[in-house]
Amino acid sequence: MSLVELMLASGLLLGSSAASLGVWNRVSTTLLENRVELEQLESLEAEVQALEARLRDPHQDPLGQPLSCEEQLQRLVARLENQPPQSGVVRTLETPAGVDVLLIHLQAGDQERRRLYSPAAFGGCGGDPAGLPAEDPAQAEDPAQALAKGGGNGAL
């Protein structure tokens, strides 16, 4: 083997080795980025699960009386502010004026989740249903008396 052939072979070997190392470097960098992103997603999902469990708590005060939507939101905001989020997760709470809802924004790195919570959606608001007139008990008719008068369709 001549010196020229030896130099050419070593140049090809060096070039292919450098290219292989570049490919391996890119693959390992991508895997590391994906691992970090997956950890961020896992911490976000853990926080979302914990948050949803807190949102489903009973909507009553300690005496068992139903709370209004506004009172529920105030208690929920106070409870969430006292409990720190999962590590690596930034939680922002926002209550728009004039509406009984809570906007919860969770962020971990580049990943984010948003939840809109309304106590009325869970049926937890106490008091009379909004906009519906209260039924007068004196006007309520016994179903048995209505059937005796010939009311109803006879189907059970």
Side-chain angles (χ1 to χ4, degrees), residues 62-124:
L63 299 176
Q65 299 298 320
L67 299 173
S68 70
C69 290
E70 184 178 343
E71 292 170 327
Q72 286 183 34
L73 281 177
Q74 290 171 355
R75 287 186 181 203
L76 179 64
V77 168
R79 192 171 19 157
L80 290 176
E81 287 175 347
N82 290 333
Q83 296 176 346
Q86 304 278 332
S87 64
V89 176
V90 177
R91 179 175 53 204
T92 308
L93 305 174
E94 183 181 333
T95 53
V99 183
D100 290 331
V101 296
L102 176 64
L103 178 62
I104 305 165
H105 184 258
L106 304 170
Q107 186 170 4
D110 295 338
Q111 307 299 318
E112 65 179 61
R113 296 285 186 271
R114 292 183 181 183
R115 293 292 184 262
L116 182 65
Y117 173 74
S118 171
F122 287 94

Side-chain angles (χ1 to χ4, degrees), residues 16-30:
S16 64
S17 297
S20 294
L21 285 175
V23 169
W24 277 103
N25 182 33
R26 182 66 184 145
V27 167
S28 64
T29 303
T30 304

Side-chain angles (χ1 to χ4, degrees), residues 125-134:
C125 296
D128 292 333
L132 296 177

